[in-house]
Amino acid sequence: MANEEREFKRDRRSFLGKLTLGLFGIGIVGQGWTYLRALVPNILYEPPVKFKVGRPEELAEGVNFIETQRVFIIKEGSQYSCISAKCTHLGCTVKSVSLDHEQTVKIGGKEVTVNSEFLCPCHGSKFRQDGSPYSGPAPTPLPWFKMEIAPEDGQLVVDVSSAVDSDIRLKV
Ligand code: FES
């Protein structure tokens, strides 16, 4: 009887020991998996830095607003350029506004004739045609982005990761 009881206690101790080790192992593996999984995001929130805005002939002469990407594509004959529509103050979308009459203004030390400007509806910043701020809280100019032609389908491509000078044009 005493032997059976000792045997039973030894088996129970052995079982509990194995169970503890097994649970510890499962805990370690689960924790490791959680750490590794945290390194891979479920969703990529970053918008693409390059996007297509259509074929050159599909755009109207002048300023074209691409709402989904919040940029303006400016078509001047066979030349194209792209300027951001995100206000440099707090990021509201600016509007392109035609002036009642042409104005001569100083841009970069040169006298330039302009017929439109950009206005921010949120806090009233105003930007010249070249994107430079001249009124309101916006601290910096609207950036201009590099454009190119997609070789596979001839569409215009904007690269918002590459800022360019305001006088750079893509000739098509
Ligand atoms: S967000 Fe444009 S002026 Fe404030």
Side-chain angles (χ1 to χ4, degrees):
M1 185 71 179
N3 272 350
E4 281 178 10
E5 201 171 303
R6 268 200 301 273
E7 184 85 11
F8 174 73
K9 280 185 177 173
R10 199 174 50 234
D11 284 353
R12 195 175 70 176
R13 228 178 285 130
S14 169
F15 171 73
L16 289 175
K18 286 176 184 168
L19 182 67
T20 304
L21 267 179
L23 289 175
F24 182 73
I26 289 171
I28 291 289
V29 170
Q31 198 69 30
W33 171 252
T34 304
Y35 284 132
L36 288 176
R37 187 66 188 87
L39 298 174
V40 182
N42 289 335
I43 299 169
L44 190 59
Y45 291 103
E46 290 291 314
V49 294
K50 276 188 173 188
F51 48 84
K52 294 177 178 176
V53 292
R55 296 180 59 81
E57 63 273 15
E58 293 168 352
L59 295 174
E61 187 69 19
V63 180
N64 297 268
F65 180 48
I66 311 295
E67 190 175 355
T68 52
Q69 305 294 345
R70 296 176 67 204
V71 295
F72 295 104
I73 306 296
I74 298 159
K75 179 176 182 178
E76 301 158 294
S78 60
Q79 301 187 67
Y80 296 82
S81 53
C82 176
I83 185 171
S84 171
K86 286 183 211 160
C87 180
T88 55
H89 179 221
L90 293 177
C92 289
T93 302
V94 301
K95 296 179 182 345
S96 172
V97 178
S98 296
L99 299 173
D100 294 339
H101 52 274
E102 287 189 342
Q103 293 178 5
T104 301
V105 295
K106 273 203 169 172
I107 294 178
K110 286 188 267 177
E111 296 225 323
V112 179
T113 303
V114 296
N115 55 16
S116 71
E117 63 185 9
F118 300 101
L119 301 181
C120 180
C122 291
H123 312 103
S125 286
K126 295 180 178 181
F127 302 84
R128 302 251 188 246
Q129 216 167 315
D130 72 334
S132 55
Y134 72 93
S135 174
T140 54
L142 299 171
W144 294 80
F145 301 125
K146 182 181 172 194
M147 295 191 75
E148 57 196 23
I149 292 286
E152 65 275 10
D153 58 8
Q155 287 199 54
L156 291 162
V157 177
V158 174
D159 181 355
V160 295
S161 68
S162 297
V164 296
D165 288 340
S166 60
D167 55 355
I168 299 292
R169 302 283 181 271
L170 172 70
K171 288 188 181 174
V172 176

